[in-house]
Amino acid sequence: MCGIAGIFGSHAPDRDLLAQMDASLRHRGPDDHDHWVDEDAGIALIHRRLAIVDLSPLGRQPMHSHDGRFVLIFNGEIYNHADIRGELEVEEARNWRGHSDTETFLEAISSWGLAKALERAVGMYAFALWDRKDRKLSLARDRFGEKPLYYGWAGRDLVFASELKAIRRHPKFQAEIDRRALRLFAARTYIPAPFSIYRRVFKLEPGCVLELDARAASTPLEEPPQVGGRAGGLHYWRYWSYRDVIAAGLANPIGSEREAVDELERVLAQAVQGQSMADVPVGAFLSGGIDSSTIVGLYQKYSSQKVRTFTISFKEAAFDEGDYARAVAKHFGTEHHEHVVTPSEAQAVIPSLPQMYDEPFADSSQIPTYLVSQAARQKVTVALSGDGGDELFGGYNRYFGTARLWSRLKHLPHPVRAAAAGTAGFVPAAAWDQVGRIALRGRVPQYFGTKVRKSLRTIVGARGLEDVFASFLDEWADEGSPVIGGEGAADLCSFDLDAGTGAPDALRMMYCDALSYLPDDIMCKVDRASMAVSLETRAPFLDHRVAALAARIPAAMNIQGGGGKHVLKELLFQEAPRALFDRPKAGFGIPVGEWIKGPLRPWAEELLDPALMRHEGWFDADLVLRRWHQHLAGTRDSTPALWAILMFQAWRREQISVEAAAASPEMEQPDLTKGK
């Protein structure tokens, strides 16, 4: 795991600027750093290294291919690099410098070309490749977007980096907020690719490559390029399509549950074993839920040593899963480490979130993710996680509850459903919480009542699944966006439910989440939180071979008995008693909604000051305050919606502070890695 950055322009990059960009990414790579410059070509590549494989200086980057044609900076891991190296050796004997996966991948590019090297690679990555012969820069990102890569323009320079803080160091960068991105953020609590919070800065989309020559690099784009676009020295292409994976799965479905479980164990165990290999200590996150427990169970099953597992627990019973994680760890015999988090400790993380995430980000589980990463980093440098299990195997309530209810109601005339929607709106969220406590035997997931109430109103009043899905995930669907301006954002970045011909509704929603929510929320959250403490995280579920197998498991096989992930659960129950997991699904959350009513209320009210909001002009102050007062009164749980507003306001304050410091040389420059 590392941090990368670079500049491609029409003139030699400034060395002081390169040093500043390098320093801003130190938390991503504290072990080593270097840069490479070709002044004639106007290209500079910067690398910060967190040494995981080949800890010697032979793994240093930027790295040059043996034939001298290519220069590479790479963030991530190629898990099958030993197999690739073996194939290259068969073709031609080589004098390898070291045993790093970066060297192997670079030589694969040199021998096979970029497209084939990407096709063969199993891993997570974001990288920049300079072709000295063709004078072309290629930027690429892994299939599911586990690793980040931003690119954009500062003056006539193309600037790219793992995090926005490096791009902001460019003296010609204009920090102009994109109101369309802000509108998307308020609705979803994250900013979906290809947008970033800034105009003329974009996220490279998962599974894609952006190729540019000098003409394209010096021509700023106002809008993100379209995949498949080729013009003026720019080529943006997709090397892996999840839609194609699903189409192949639908065409060749697994016929029996027994076959599905056996194949899943084989492929997932292969992924776990590959991702547990490193030259540094490795462990795993363990919440006690289905996904992390499955990863830990397979990890321990095929490991010759005790696996180190890590969890955090809370004193608040509604959010604490420490007992569950402890029981799972005991069953599998892991070396378990648990850290009990106090409210004050969790709240102390909040001021560092704007610097940590670099742009507004409002999944409040970012706080426990940081804390568990911080705890794990005391013992290991790499941690496996269970991320991706819900999206690939149907774990979210909307995949089974929403899809099932919509299938029953969609045939009713729209006026009838619209009338029912109005009736559903009168049942308060607290009443649904009470129903949930009875039905789920005491414990209900976070925001259960609010989500049930909202989903019922949405489903019965919708005109199609697209309406259901979009409204269900839009925190302001009932009132309209609180963002002033930015109209048309939803049309520019709509939810993609086109999983191909014959895909059932549940699979369409899973597909959409895998394309947007997974990379732009879940993996963004994990990457920034873990890299803030220089911890590499790996997600075995996101091995593309696991995804290909998951696509072959019929949705009806995964979603049955009023729940999802059936095949995954059956695999887990082969290794652990079913009784250990006989409880409702719970998210990885904290009581942020209660905190902003209590100890964080002064902080929240300062950021939500109506006079300030009206002066700044980002939000409709009256609309935001109405939600705030409803939240305080307990008549409506608006935690996600309000947390998004608060995170933007806090982020904007931090940016104003940084901009003021940069404009005043006599002021001490802030440490953007502080809080890691």
Side-chain angles (χ1 to χ4, degrees):
M1 197 71 65
C2 304
I4 63 173
I7 302 174
F8 188 16
S10 57
H11 55 82
D14 180 83
R15 301 284 176 151
D16 289 339
L17 171 58
L18 299 183
Q20 292 178 40
M21 295 174 67
D22 178 307
S24 73
L25 297 174
R26 185 183 185 281
H27 55 288
R28 296 190 71 93
D31 296 332
D32 197 5
H33 66 112
D34 203 355
H35 65 265
W36 174 82
V37 176
D38 183 335
E39 294 187 354
D40 292 335
I43 181 79
L45 303 177
I46 301 164
H47 189 264
R48 295 286 327 195
R49 186 183 185 201
L50 176 63
I52 301 294
V53 177
D54 192 347
L55 309 185
S56 76
L58 297 175
R60 170 175 282 188
Q61 302 180 42
M63 188 176 289
H64 298 252
S65 61
H66 287 216
D67 62 9
R69 176 175 176 176
F70 298 101
V71 187
L72 176 69
I73 49 175
F74 184 90
N75 168 30
E77 302 291 343
I78 303 295
Y79 303 123
N80 66 331
H81 72 97
D83 294 337
I84 292 175
R85 183 169 289 210
E87 292 180 32
L88 293 171
E89 284 283 357
V90 170
E91 295 177 1
E92 179 184 353
R94 299 164 190 264
N95 294 318
W96 299 96
R97 301 186 189 95
H99 67 272
S100 74
D101 57 324
T102 301
E103 183 182 6
T104 305
F105 185 59
L106 181 54
E107 290 310 302
I109 294 171
S110 179
S111 295
W112 300 338
L114 180 57
K116 182 178 177 181
L118 286 167
E119 179 185 348
R120 287 285 295 111
V122 177
M124 59 175 184
Y125 43 79
F127 64 83
L129 178 75
W130 175 245
D131 184 337
R132 302 179 73 176
K133 177 183 176 182
D134 292 343
R135 300 172 74 85
K136 178 177 66 177
L137 176 69
S138 297
L139 305 177
R141 195 173 178 204
D142 63 67
R143 296 170 176 87
F144 279 107
E146 294 182 65
K147 294 294 100 190
L149 189 55
Y150 294 86
Y151 68 96
W153 280 263
R156 298 187 70 81
D157 286 342
L158 173 77
V159 191
F160 57 91
S162 300
E163 297 182 13
L164 284 170
K165 55 175 62 70
I167 294 176
R168 286 201 303 261
R169 293 300 180 106
H170 197 292
K172 293 186 178 180
F173 176 70
Q174 296 180 337
E176 184 179 352
I177 293 173
D178 189 334
R179 288 183 182 267
R180 300 170 304 174
L182 180 57
R183 182 175 282 249
L184 290 167
F185 169 70
R188 305 188 192 184
T189 72
Y190 64 89
I191 298 174
F195 291 97
S196 83
I197 190 60
Y198 297 119
R199 292 191 59 194
R200 293 178 290 277
V201 178
F202 312 111
K203 297 183 181 84
L204 192 68
E205 294 172 80
C208 288
V209 176
L210 178 66
E211 297 177 339
L212 311 98
D213 64 16
R215 290 173 298 159
S218 61
T219 306
L221 296 179
E222 292 293 328
E223 300 293 342
Q226 296 295 311
V227 176
R230 184 195 293 269
L234 180 150
H235 183 203
Y236 193 35
W237 52 282
R238 185 180 301 281
Y239 68 88
W240 186 81
S241 166
Y242 189 42
R243 181 183 288 113
D244 291 346
V245 171
I246 288 180
L250 290 171
N252 184 31
I254 290 178
S256 72
E257 182 180 304
R258 183 69 265 159
E259 180 188 1
V261 173
D262 290 345
E263 279 297 291
L264 179 57
E265 177 174 6
R266 181 185 65 82
V267 176
L268 188 56
Q270 181 183 32
V272 170
Q273 289 175 288
Q275 296 193 23
S276 61
M277 301 299 292
D279 295 336
V280 294
V282 180
F285 295 149
L286 178 60
S287 69
I290 298 296
D291 301 336
S292 65
S293 298
T294 303
I295 297 300
V296 167
L298 291 176
Y299 189 1
Q300 188 62 77
K301 182 176 181 178
Y302 294 100
S303 175
S304 60
Q305 299 178 335
K306 278 196 169 188
V307 171
R308 282 168 282 204
T309 53
F310 302 89
T311 190
I312 55 173
S313 57
F314 300 92
K315 294 181 179 179
E316 294 88 349
F319 298 89
D320 182 41
E321 292 192 299
D323 290 345
Y324 303 133
R326 212 174 303 121
V328 173
K330 181 179 180 181
H331 173 79
F332 287 127
T334 70
E335 179 189 312
H336 192 55
H337 303 269
E338 180 179 349
H339 176 64
V340 181
V341 177
T342 65
S344 60
E345 183 181 3
Q347 292 165 24
V349 177
I350 294 173
S352 66
L353 294 176
Q355 294 179 1
M356 192 184 302
Y357 283 84
D358 251 355
E359 67 178 344
F361 184 82
D363 182 336
S364 62
S365 64
Q366 62 200 127
I367 297 172
T369 302
Y370 170 81
L371 291 169
V372 74
S373 297
Q374 186 181 57
R377 189 63 176 92
Q378 306 304 310
K379 301 287 184 179
V380 298
T381 310
V382 176
L384 274 58
S385 80
D387 294 308
D390 285 314
E391 291 80 5
L392 296 186
F393 295 93
Y396 296 132
N397 291 335
R398 55 182 172 269
Y399 301 153
F400 38 91
T402 302
R404 185 170 60 249
L405 186 56
W406 172 245
S407 69
R408 294 173 179 174
L409 294 176
K410 65 183 179 182
H411 301 295
L412 293 175
H414 183 263
V416 175
R417 287 190 280 110
T423 302
F426 288 110
V427 181
W432 289 115
D433 280 332
Q434 183 60 32
V435 171
R437 275 188 284 273
I438 296 171
L440 301 176
R441 292 169 296 177
R443 184 176 180 181
V444 297
Q446 193 174 12
Y447 316 132
F448 175 82
T450 300
K451 289 180 178 179
V452 169
R453 180 174 181 265
K454 182 178 179 180
S455 63
L456 283 174
R457 292 174 61 187
T458 298
I459 290 171
V460 296
R463 296 181 180 275
L465 182 65
E466 290 76 10
D467 288 349
V468 174
F469 194 82
S471 297
F472 186 71
L473 297 184
D474 184 347
E475 297 298 336
W476 295 85
D478 291 342
E479 301 95 333
S481 177
V483 177
I484 298 172
E487 287 80 7
D491 296 329
L492 287 169
C493 196
S494 59
F495 291 106
D496 183 0
L497 290 159
D498 182 12
T501 303
D505 287 346
L507 184 57
R508 293 173 64 195
M509 290 188 280
M510 291 162 60
Y511 167 79
C512 185
D513 278 342
L515 262 58
S516 182
Y517 177 68
L518 178 63
D520 297 325
D521 184 306
I522 301 298
M523 301 319 301
C524 174
K525 171 187 68 180
V526 174
D527 175 81
R528 303 309 190 279
S530 62
M531 291 311 298
V533 295
S534 304
L535 176 77
E536 173 172 300
T537 54
R538 300 174 175 179
F541 282 120
L542 298 185
D543 183 311
H544 70 279
R545 298 167 299 186
V546 175
L549 176 65
R552 294 185 57 213
I553 301 175
M557 190 181 293
N558 260 328
I559 299 172
Q560 54 179 285
K565 295 194 288 196
H566 177 75
V567 172
L568 190 59
K569 291 174 182 176
E570 290 304 307
L571 171 58
L572 175 59
F573 298 156
Q574 290 184 163
E575 309 297 332
R578 189 180 300 263
L580 280 178
F581 308 95
D582 189 17
R583 61 184 185 274
K585 177 181 175 61
F588 191 39
I590 52 174
V592 165
E594 293 303 311
W595 289 352
I596 59 177
K597 293 180 182 180
L600 293 180
R601 182 168 177 175
W603 169 79
E605 291 190 327
E606 180 183 355
L607 294 175
L608 298 179
D609 178 74
L612 182 65
M613 283 195 287
R614 292 187 181 101
H615 172 73
E616 292 177 330
W618 299 113
F619 300 111
D620 181 331
D622 294 334
L623 188 56
V624 173
L625 288 176
R626 184 158 58 247
R627 290 289 289 268
W628 173 237
H629 292 146
Q630 290 171 344
H631 185 78
L632 290 176
T635 58
R636 183 179 184 185
D637 185 347
S638 292
T639 301
L642 292 170
W643 190 245
I645 304 296
L646 291 167
M647 284 293 96
F648 174 82
Q649 295 289 76
W651 172 82
R652 186 65 189 132
R653 298 297 177 279
E654 191 262 348
Q655 293 305 301
I656 292 171
S657 175
V658 170
E659 292 164 6
S664 304
E666 69 278 4
M667 294 179 62
E668 181 180 354
Q669 291 292 324
D671 180 2
L672 292 181
T673 67
K674 187 177 181 181
K676 71 179 183 180

